[in-house]
Amino acid sequence: MTTELFRQKTGRYICGLSAPSEKRQIQTWLSCTEHKQQVSQEERENIENEIVAQVQAYVVSTLFEPKPESWWKKITAFF
Amino acid sequence: MRRNFTPDQTLIDKLLLDDTTAFEELSRRYCYPLYSYCMSKLNSKEDSKRIVRNIFIALWESRSTLPVDFSISVHLYTEVRKAVVQCINIKLNKAIDVEAIEKEIIPGFSVAELNKAKIPIHINESNNRPSFVKKRNYEKLQQYKYSAFTLKELKHSLQKMLNFW
């Protein structure tokens, strides 16, 4: 399979326009979980901490700077 | 943060109250499996981290509109699969890491590689089973064998007796 064909195939899959066989092929590939990388516990914790820290930074920022409430939320709160 | 064994559903319920501790626990619980999955598919640390981070941020953003029967594992599984395909498509559209995709990802679409997904997980039970279980089962089998044999013999002897009479 060429990269161009692969690009078109993934594009169709994202848009939900792929043929059933293409869809099945991509879903089967996504379900293949044989390859597993061996990572040390320390490295694993580092990765985990890094991702969680980034997520938490975003979460805290949203709590301190809340978005303006939408009109439908104001109406539901009123009732 | 100290890890706890609170069920997922309880933590999800706490998200409605903007409980950041519950969200942190949830993200810690599922962060590495998601990262590992992305790594196995994309072979890119940066992309994997970005995908996982975006999935959790999207979950936090949609915390107030989660359905009643929401299953976090199903949601994350669906989202990560979608994100992996989107990431590949974006890379190909922008012509980034095309060679790496050609060498590492496209070969995974061969028939031989895809067939691996269909092979059921085979666990060799005889190796994992403790020796006393093996012995007990063997004895049980022997018992059934002998009992079947005796019943057969009894049937034959009864038939002979009836024929005789």
Side-chain angles (χ1 to χ4, degrees):
Chain A
M1 188 174 12
T2 60
T3 47
E4 181 54 28
L5 193 68
F6 189 49
R7 189 186 66 80
Q8 289 172 1
K9 200 176 264 195
T10 50
R12 281 196 295 268
Y13 180 79
I14 292 163
C15 299
L17 301 170
S18 55
S21 59
E22 278 180 353
K23 201 175 172 180
R24 207 162 43 241
Q25 191 186 24
I26 292 173
Q27 284 180 348
T28 311
W29 175 73
L30 288 168
S31 303
C32 284
T33 52
E34 197 191 0
H35 168 72
K36 285 203 172 178
Q37 203 182 20
Q38 295 295 325
V39 179
S40 66
Q41 187 63 29
E42 196 183 348
E43 199 179 341
R44 183 183 164 146
E45 278 176 15
N46 286 340
I47 292 163
E48 202 178 283
N49 288 337
E50 195 183 330
I51 296 169
V52 171
Q54 287 175 352
V55 173
Q56 283 296 310
Y58 176 83
V59 165
V60 170
S61 72
T62 55
L63 288 176
F64 280 104
E65 294 166 17
K67 287 176 185 173
E69 281 191 22
S70 56
W71 60 269
W72 61 270
K73 274 190 180 176
K74 282 178 187 172
I75 293 169
T76 46
F78 178 75
F79 283 108
Chain B
M1 186 192 150
R2 201 176 156 199
R3 307 300 292 273
N4 60 47
F5 298 99
T6 317
D8 286 353
Q9 199 53 50
T10 315
L11 295 172
I12 290 160
D13 292 341
K14 284 181 181 176
L15 291 186
L16 284 172
L17 307 167
D18 293 344
D19 189 339
T20 52
T21 318
F23 186 66
E24 189 181 342
E25 176 58 30
L26 272 177
S27 44
R28 276 195 188 279
R29 217 172 261 187
Y30 290 101
C31 154
Y32 191 76
L34 291 178
Y35 171 82
S36 176
Y37 178 80
C38 291
M39 269 300 287
S40 70
K41 295 292 167 204
L42 301 169
N43 289 322
S44 163
K45 285 183 181 178
E46 290 307 311
D47 287 328
S48 305
K49 282 176 191 171
R50 186 176 45 78
I51 286 173
V52 177
R53 191 187 62 214
N54 289 347
I55 287 171
F56 281 112
I57 287 173
L59 178 67
W60 176 255
E61 288 291 330
S62 61
R63 67 190 182 282
S64 55
T65 53
L66 296 177
V68 180
D69 56 345
F70 179 73
S71 162
I72 189 161
S73 51
V74 173
H75 170 79
L76 295 176
Y77 181 69
T78 316
E79 290 299 314
V80 78
R81 283 163 69 102
K82 210 188 293 175
V84 163
V85 180
Q86 276 173 349
C87 178
I88 294 169
N89 187 253
I90 289 166
K91 274 184 166 184
L92 288 171
N93 282 336
K94 292 181 179 175
I96 305 165
D97 296 339
V98 180
E99 276 186 29
I101 291 170
E102 204 171 352
K103 284 178 186 170
E104 292 164 9
I105 298 173
I106 293 177
F109 281 83
S110 65
V111 178
E113 288 294 320
L114 292 178
N115 274 337
K116 285 178 186 173
K118 293 175 187 170
I119 301 168
I121 299 164
H122 178 70
I123 301 163
N124 192 358
E125 285 186 9
S126 61
N127 291 339
N128 300 331
R129 196 182 291 155
S131 59
F132 67 89
V133 178
K134 273 188 206 170
K135 196 179 172 186
R136 198 171 59 196
N137 286 350
Y138 177 74
E139 281 170 359
K140 212 179 269 181
L141 272 172
Q142 288 294 319
Q143 192 187 341
Y144 289 138
K145 195 180 169 186
Y146 288 130
S147 62
F149 182 70
T150 48
L151 275 173
K152 204 176 179 183
E153 267 193 346
L154 187 68
K155 191 183 163 188
H156 275 291
S157 56
L158 279 169
Q159 271 181 346
K160 276 178 190 173
M161 279 170 71
L162 285 169
N163 287 339
F164 178 76
W165 285 105

